[in-house]
Structure formats: structure tokens, C-alpha cells
Amino acid sequence: MDIVKKDIIGYVCKKSETKSTALGRKFAFIVIKTDDGYISCECTGSYAKTFSALKVGDCVRINGKIHTRTITRIYNHQVFERKVQELSVLGIEKI
């Protein structure tokens, strides 16, 4: 798994899903459209609350760590692999 710190500017494509753990810690997921494609973002704590206020189409600048990993799926006895990028949010700003 590769990890790279990066600033990303893009548009919110999917409304945030905010959830809580059994211990009450908040976390959220959101999908951002950039020039390079779609990136799934995840955040915890106070950033989860910020994510929940965003609307589809809002332009945001996100600072975080991009994790690239390979997912293997088996469908009809065939193996498919693809690379997936996820961003762990360290900072967010609505533009």
C-alpha cells in the first residue's frame, strides 16, 4: 500500500454518510470528483461534522493522505484486480 500526502481540490459527488462507533466517535465518508477521477474520502472527529454540512456540488480543498491499494474480486470464477485510492482527511476547507 502506497501512502502520499496531498492537497486535493474537487467537487462533492455524494452526500456524506456520518456514523458513530460503539464508543461514540464520529466518522464520515464522502466522494470527491477531481480532474483525475473520483476519490473516496474518510474522516473522523470534528471533520466528520464539517463533512455532514457539505452539499452535492460544493467545491472543497482537502488535505490528507492518499492510500492506494489493490482490490481483488472473484466473479464467475474469474479474478479481477483494480487499484483504489482513498483519502484520509487531515484538513478541509469549502471554497
Side-chain angles (χ1 to χ4, degrees), residues 12-17 29-31 51-56:
V12 177
C13 293
K14 185 179 175 187
K15 181 75 175 131
S16 170
E17 300 174 28
F29 298 96
I30 200 166
V31 177
F51 265 33
S52 64
L54 295 174
K55 297 179 181 134
V56 173

Side-chain angles (χ1 to χ4, degrees), residues 62-93:
I62 298 176
N63 176 292
K65 295 179 187 175
I66 294 181
H67 303 268
T68 304
R69 60 189 173 98
T70 304
I71 293 180
T72 305
R73 303 270 188 217
I74 300 173
Y75 182 73
N76 287 338
H77 305 291
Q78 292 181 335
V79 177
F80 297 94
E81 287 188 353
R82 68 177 196 158
K83 289 197 173 202
V84 176
Q85 291 184 332
E86 296 173 333
L87 182 76
S88 295
V89 177
L90 301 174
I92 185 169
E93 171 188 2

